[in-house]
Amino acid sequence: MSIEDRYRNGFFLAPMVRVGTLPLRLLSLHYGADLVWTDENIDRGIIGCERVVDEKTGVVAFIKDGKDMFATHPDERDKVIFQIGTADPTLALAAAKVVEQDVAGIDLNCGCPKKFSIQGGMGAALLQKPDQLCAILETLVKNISKPVSCKIRVLDDEEQTLALVRRIAATGIAALTVHCRTRDMRPREKAMWHRLNSIVDEVAPLPVILNGDVFSYEDVQRARDSTGATSVMTARGAIENPSIFRAEGPLPVIDVAVEYVKYAVRVSSPFRFTKYTILQIYPDKKGIQYRGLQSSRGYEQMCAAVGIADFYYSEGARLINDRADPEVAKSASAKRQHPSLSVKAVDPGSSGAPCEDAALDSEESPTKRTRTECGTTA
């Protein structure tokens, strides 16, 4: 099946800030997702990256100034859509060229309503600049070997929305995702699925992907039947339980959370993102395991907190690198200075000092992020 065909009749993982990193994408594919979107990657952050392959894990990391800006794996190569945050055709193309051979498609983010994106002329700001938006898409379509798609929000005015999507479709993109909320609407406000029907008709036969208020596998067919959408995308539904993609029904979320940790360890994912995500997924916010996750400062402690210490020692420890696990770096440093010392595991139920990312920067304060990214929660 070609990637263009995969945009049809599918159930996809949406781009999400800090959450849509490699472990969740691989886990979602494992449970049945047809395509997975990366979290947004800002053009200048990707341009100039060094491509590094980890022989132990198979992970392909794009590194700049010692920081992992993007990571992927051969297991998702034909199903991962790389989302770019940009306001400039030249920069967008330069960024896309860096990752072109390691992803299945390129997506332009025209929906992020956060201050950082808007001030930079990116995300939802592009909705008010159709000439610029379409110039970026046309540049990508003409110069990239992979399919190009676009993710937007609806405008307040329906006729203006239709005029915009007509122009977008004319650029030659392979698919259009519509978040059925306006720029100023928030997740607590019901997604306006009814706004999609006219868009589907306007751009047919272009695949149109619905995003917004999809919380179960059953919602997929309901959304397609009521809107005519080609495919459906979920964000919050996947955070609540990543096994949402199973046609057979979701698995117990605690079991899924454990699987997420295993995936994160196996691909040596940066710990700060894993910790942020597992705290969103884990259902029991009052239990001892959750407190252990909150106080964990590395993968060894995280695995102990969810009851898979044996997995860490038998499989995980040999895969984790210093960038992924702050405790590995700490232990290595301590042993270099004092070879006789060993780092003891912390009781996961204790109230230790919080990890450096226990209170990650808000989406409105991106300057402190290791990765400059933004996404949607729908």
Side-chain angles (χ1 to χ4, degrees):
M1 180 185 296
S2 68
I3 179 62
E4 288 86 352
D5 289 336
R6 287 202 181 99
Y7 286 116
R8 300 182 181 278
N9 305 316
F11 189 14
F12 308 145
L13 178 70
M16 290 180 283
V17 61
R18 293 192 295 272
V19 176
T21 50
L22 181 58
L24 185 66
R25 300 198 307 266
L26 291 177
L27 184 62
S28 298
L29 290 171
H30 170 73
Y31 287 131
D34 297 291
L35 293 174
V36 290
W37 265 244
T38 70
D39 45 354
E40 183 191 48
N41 295 266
I42 305 304
D43 51 16
R44 293 181 185 274
I46 295 299
I47 296 170
C49 279
E50 177 187 8
R51 183 182 184 274
V52 177
V53 179
D54 187 326
E55 298 297 336
K56 293 188 298 182
T57 63
V59 170
V60 179
F62 293 84
I63 298 174
K64 189 173 184 178
D65 299 328
K67 300 172 183 176
D68 292 7
M69 305 304 290
F70 170 61
T72 185
H73 190 278
D75 286 352
E76 67 169 2
R77 180 171 294 166
D78 64 344
K79 294 183 178 180
V80 62
I81 309 301
F82 182 84
Q83 189 179 73
I84 295 179
T86 186
D88 181 270
T90 302
L91 295 178
L93 179 59
K97 284 293 185 182
V98 173
V99 301
E100 182 178 9
Q101 298 309 313
D102 290 289
V103 300
I106 302 294
D107 186 74
L108 175 63
N109 184 357
C110 303
C112 182
K114 298 302 180 181
K115 183 178 179 180
F116 167 67
S117 285
I118 298 299
Q119 286 184 334
M122 302 178 291
L126 289 172
L127 298 175
Q128 305 302 322
K129 300 177 180 179
D131 290 345
Q132 189 173 359
L133 189 166
C134 291
I136 295 170
L137 291 176
E138 288 170 353
T139 298
L140 292 172
V141 169
K142 291 176 182 178
N143 296 283
I144 294 294
S145 63
K146 302 297 174 65
V148 175
S149 57
C150 177
K151 188 171 189 291
I152 68 169
R153 287 181 175 236
V154 295
L155 303 177
D156 292 326
D157 182 82
E158 186 167 5
E159 288 304 318
Q160 290 181 359
T161 303
L162 295 179
L164 176 64
V165 298
R166 280 197 300 271
R167 293 195 60 182
I168 290 174
T171 64
I173 60 172
L176 172 68
T177 300
V178 181
H179 184 163
C180 297
R181 292 184 174 89
T182 67
R183 164 178 160 174
D184 295 328
M185 291 176 68
R186 292 298 176 259
R188 65 179 177 274
E189 300 175 77
K190 187 175 177 62
M192 300 182 294
W193 286 9
H194 65 278
R195 291 287 303 274
L196 203 66
N197 298 77
S198 57
I199 294 174
V200 171
D201 292 339
E202 194 69 34
V203 301
L206 181 71
V208 176
I209 304 161
L210 177 149
N211 180 214
D213 289 353
V214 177
F215 297 109
S216 70
Y217 195 88
E218 291 70 27
D219 284 341
V220 175
Q221 193 59 47
R222 186 170 64 87
R224 293 177 63 190
D225 289 343
S226 63
T227 67
T230 312
S231 296
V232 175
M233 177 181 284
T234 184
R236 285 182 293 158
I239 296 175
E240 291 180 3
N241 189 333
S243 67
I244 186 177
F245 298 102
R246 282 171 42 93
E248 307 85 350
L251 298 171
V253 68
I254 288 182
D255 295 341
V256 174
V258 171
E259 286 303 307
Y260 171 77
V261 174
K262 288 183 178 180
Y263 267 90
V265 169
R266 286 173 179 143
V267 298
S268 197
S269 187
F271 178 75
R272 61 193 175 277
F273 296 117
T274 301
K275 181 173 179 179
Y276 177 85
T277 303
I278 193 65
L279 291 176
Q280 313 308 308
I281 295 174
Y282 208 79
D284 184 3
K285 309 298 185 186
K286 298 181 180 179
I288 188 172
Q289 289 181 322
Y290 188 81
R291 295 201 301 273
L293 290 170
Q294 283 183 311
S295 63
S296 62
R297 297 179 63 86
Y299 276 116
E300 182 177 7
Q301 296 171 16
M302 178 175 284
C303 288
V306 296
I308 55 171
D310 289 347
F311 162 79
Y312 180 85
Y313 295 122
S314 65
E315 182 177 344
R318 66 182 175 82
L319 299 175
I320 294 295
N321 59 41
D322 290 4
R323 292 195 308 276
D325 196 331
E327 283 299 300
V328 171
K330 178 181 176 182
S331 175
S333 176
K335 288 180 179 179
R336 283 194 295 268
Q337 297 178 41
H338 304 285
S340 62
L341 295 179
S342 62
V343 178
K344 297 181 179 180
V346 176
D347 176 3
S350 66
S351 56
C355 172
E356 61 183 358
D357 71 335
L360 277 170
D361 315 295
S362 71
E363 293 173 7
E364 283 74 18
S365 304
T367 55
K368 296 182 181 179
R369 298 181 198 155
T370 301
R371 298 211 240 180
T372 307
E373 55 195 359
C374 180
T376 58
T377 302

